[in-house]
Amino acid sequence: MEEHQQKVFNTAISMVQDHGAAEDIAQDVFVTVFKSVLSFNEKSSISTWIYRITVNKCLDHLRAKNRQKRQGFFNMLFHSDSGEMAYDQPNFEHPGIQLERKEKAKYLFEAIETLPENQKTVFVLSYMEELPQKDIAEIMNISVKAVESLLQRAKNNLRKKLGPIYEKEKR
């Protein structure tokens, strides 16, 4: 646990962009590892297995959050007079970002949040966790070529979303 704790937390916070949820996910990951360690089949390394569990827990959390958002939206449409969304995401600030880069990081994390989940996962594991593409492929149970393709699409989508912001800053 001590060897992988920080990596699990960093992956979780980068994917879910919520400190409390990332802590809960990290705890849940290690409970799952403890309960499932006897079923570990050693086809991959222990760290790859733990990353896979972490990514799956993060994706489960994000799917549940999206269901809550949809439910909140429908409640607002049909049952609410306030006109406010109950599940709006507050602006997320990653704890590892230096102060002078926080504004740019805010835009980046907002843009990452809009990526499809497979592109987001590949981007986070590649650029934030700095994992090799071979490991990412193993974690996500896809080919290295698929990782490359997803990464390229993620970067293109981020360029489209962030391009106008950076152009505006230059002026």
Side-chain angles (χ1 to χ4, degrees):
M1 183 175 143
E2 286 180 19
E3 183 179 337
H4 298 284
Q5 183 175 359
Q6 195 60 46
K7 291 176 185 177
V8 167
F9 178 76
N10 286 341
T11 301
I13 198 163
S14 294
M15 288 192 68
V16 301
Q17 299 183 6
D18 178 315
H19 195 275
E23 287 178 341
D24 292 344
I25 288 168
Q27 287 178 353
D28 196 22
V29 165
F30 288 109
V31 168
T32 301
V33 167
F34 178 75
K35 288 180 178 179
S36 306
V37 75
L38 294 176
S39 67
F40 175 62
N41 58 16
E42 297 185 32
K43 288 183 181 175
S44 61
S45 70
I46 191 86
S47 63
T48 299
W49 181 60
I50 291 172
Y51 266 118
R52 184 178 299 138
I53 293 169
T54 304
V55 167
N56 288 336
K57 297 282 184 193
C58 290
L59 293 175
D60 290 346
H61 172 81
L62 292 170
R63 288 180 192 123
K65 188 171 89 173
N66 285 336
R67 281 192 298 274
Q68 287 178 331
K69 282 183 179 179
R70 280 193 298 276
Q71 185 63 43
F73 177 74
F74 288 121
N75 286 343
M76 180 192 75
L77 284 177
F78 300 110
H79 304 294
S80 175
D81 297 329
S82 71
E84 286 187 30
M85 291 284 287
Y87 296 99
D88 278 344
Q89 170 86 12
N91 285 338
F92 173 72
E93 291 185 8
H94 194 287
I97 304 296
Q98 294 176 349
L99 187 58
E100 65 268 8
R101 298 187 329 197
K102 280 193 186 239
E103 188 67 24
K104 287 182 181 177
K106 178 184 143 208
Y107 294 128
L108 175 61
F109 280 107
E110 287 173 359
I112 290 170
E113 188 65 23
T114 66
L115 292 173
E117 81 180 20
N118 55 358
Q119 291 178 25
K120 177 180 179 178
T121 302
V122 167
F123 188 84
V124 166
L125 292 176
S126 180
Y127 287 103
M128 297 176 157
E129 294 304 309
E130 300 177 340
L131 293 178
Q133 289 183 359
K134 181 180 177 281
D135 290 355
I136 296 169
E138 203 170 319
I139 289 165
M140 294 181 68
N141 204 23
I142 59 177
S143 69
V144 174
K145 287 283 187 196
V147 170
E148 291 170 1
S149 176
L150 287 168
L151 197 51
Q152 191 60 42
R153 281 187 267 159
K155 289 191 295 188
N156 288 338
N157 284 333
L158 290 172
R159 269 189 211 103
K160 287 177 192 172
K161 293 172 198 273
L162 296 172
I165 293 167
Y166 288 104
E167 286 299 317
K168 188 174 147 184
E169 266 188 18
K170 286 180 184 177
R171 289 184 232 147

